[in-house]
Amino acid sequence: MTTEFAELHEALVEWVYEHTATNALGYDVSITEFGERHGLDGQQSFRLLQSGKDLGLLDDRYATYDDPAANLTAAGLHWTEERKRRRSDPAARADAARRGLLVWLWHRKHEGVEMPTVAEVLHAPQSIYEGEHLSAREIDRAAGHLQSRGLISGQMMASGYGPVHAEITTDGEDCVENYAGDIGAYERGTRAGGTTFHIGSNTGNIAANSRDFTLTATTNNGVDLAAVVMLARALRQAAPVLDLPKPEEAELTDLANRIEEEVGSDHPDPGHLQRWGSSVVAILNSPVVSGALGSVLAAYTGVVLPGLPAGS
């Protein structure tokens, strides 16, 4: 049994689930059509059904010799519904896109491929999440996210969030080789220590549920951590009212959480804050944000984290 054949059992379980929903009897689904679609003969279809049984996801109580038929077990029903839930989770999809692209670029570098086209990952297994290909938009956003964290470098175009051609950096290689591409684990494990910040006075507020608001920040040399905390909370409160698509809203909230968590750590890393701040500004200045709130928040981010492109 080849690897590809073995992997078909997941697709088969979900296929049975989808067809059970439209089956009048609700318990007996012929898998002959599924087998034909994947180039399997009758014997191979039976073997595939057996692999689903071995995993406890399928049963064949109603199968006949001439017609392999399957029904979901309770475990199979739970497995499929959980898979569909994970597949629809924008934050989980974003994480999968980032990790998949980073690992794919690691392989390209070690194959000697220089600056591959990022979109080519869409033809690779690393772009598949829970049995479904990620979209070009999700990969583009992942590329922008990875570049903002210094894990990849590449050539930007006028449109899009990330580079069109890219390669993994040494930091990115470290993330793949020592943290299996888990960006969060990598950043927690490589925080720099010994940094001292001067915290100056700060005042400011945001009315996150309205379009009328005021933001003020006073910073002294370096980064004002009190202002950064206020920024993170303002971003998190504003995310639901910026009319962002779900993936962008989830990423903005994730960035706000990362920023506040970093500031609350024993040794905040200014490099992380700068990279995450750049990602925040990229989202707030993107065409998907409408209204003045996004522009004001982008400008506020540039004030709190000096050196960023504050506005569009």
Side-chain angles (χ1 to χ4, degrees), residues 19-33:
H19 285 71
T20 297
T22 59
N23 190 312
L25 297 178
Y27 57 78
D28 183 10
V29 177
S30 171
I31 66 171
T32 299
E33 180 183 350

Side-chain angles (χ1 to χ4, degrees), residues 14-307:
E14 192 161 350
W15 192 87
V16 172
Y17 174 91
E18 297 294 345
H19 285 71
T20 297
T22 59
N23 190 312
L25 297 178
Y27 57 78
D28 183 10
V29 177
S30 171
I31 66 171
T32 299
E33 180 183 350
F34 177 90
E36 291 174 348
R37 288 185 182 183
H38 293 276
L40 307 180
D41 59 27
Q43 183 178 9
Q44 290 173 320
S45 294
F46 271 112
R47 290 170 59 199
L48 186 61
L49 173 55
Q50 183 61 48
S51 70
K53 289 180 60 181
D54 292 342
L55 293 169
L57 304 177
L58 295 175
D59 203 351
D60 61 351
R61 288 177 294 173
Y62 310 103
T64 66
Y65 179 79
D66 296 325
D67 184 20
N71 58 278
L72 285 171
T73 64
L77 178 62
H78 176 74
W79 179 88
T80 307
E81 291 178 342
E82 282 297 298
R83 189 188 202 204
K84 291 169 74 68
R85 179 192 61 77
R86 292 192 300 271
R87 184 188 292 157
S88 64
D89 183 341
R93 293 178 68 90
D95 180 69
R98 297 164 191 165
R99 185 180 304 201
L101 177 58
L102 190 64
V103 171
W104 182 80
L105 286 171
W106 184 92
H107 284 287
R108 300 293 78 73
K109 184 168 186 176
H110 287 265
E111 291 171 356
V113 180
E114 296 184 1
M115 300 295 286
T117 302
V118 169
E120 290 179 359
V121 71
L122 292 168
H123 305 294
Q126 287 85 1
S127 69
I128 298 176
Y129 175 63
E130 296 294 349
E132 178 180 277
H133 275 281
L134 298 164
S135 69
R137 178 182 177 83
E138 288 172 314
I139 294 299
D140 179 35
R141 288 198 60 81
H145 186 89
L146 293 173
Q147 178 153 277
S148 74
R149 280 161 167 70
L151 301 177
I152 69 172
S153 62
Q155 303 168 356
M156 297 292 295
M157 297 290 286
S159 60
Y161 294 96
V164 176
H165 300 277
E167 65 180 2
I168 194 169
T169 64
T170 53
D171 285 344
E173 289 183 281
D174 184 27
C175 180
V176 172
E177 293 167 3
N178 297 305
Y179 297 89
D182 186 331
I183 301 168
Y186 167 75
E187 291 182 339
R188 288 190 296 272
T190 56
R191 284 182 176 145
T195 303
T196 301
F197 292 95
H198 175 75
I199 301 177
S201 61
N202 174 76
T203 59
N205 65 330
I206 177 171
N209 291 321
S210 72
R211 297 292 180 177
D212 300 315
F213 44 83
T214 301
L215 291 174
T216 305
T218 301
T219 62
N220 291 343
N221 295 333
V223 177
D224 183 337
L225 294 189
V228 176
V229 171
M230 178 173 289
L231 168 65
R233 293 173 180 174
L235 292 170
R236 190 162 51 244
Q237 293 169 10
V241 299
L242 285 172
D243 298 325
L244 290 167
K246 288 298 183 183
E248 283 80 1
E249 180 182 334
E251 181 167 2
L252 186 61
T253 301
D254 176 63
L255 288 167
N257 291 336
R258 286 173 178 268
I259 289 170
E260 186 167 5
E261 180 182 354
E262 185 70 30
V263 172
S265 66
D266 293 336
H267 302 290
D269 187 332
H272 290 166
L273 296 176
Q274 287 287 327
R275 289 197 295 272
W276 295 332
S278 294
S279 296
V280 166
V281 171
I283 294 174
L284 295 175
N285 284 337
S286 67
V288 299
V289 178
S290 60
L293 179 56
S295 298
V296 172
L297 282 169
Y300 184 56
T301 303
V303 171
V304 173
L305 297 172

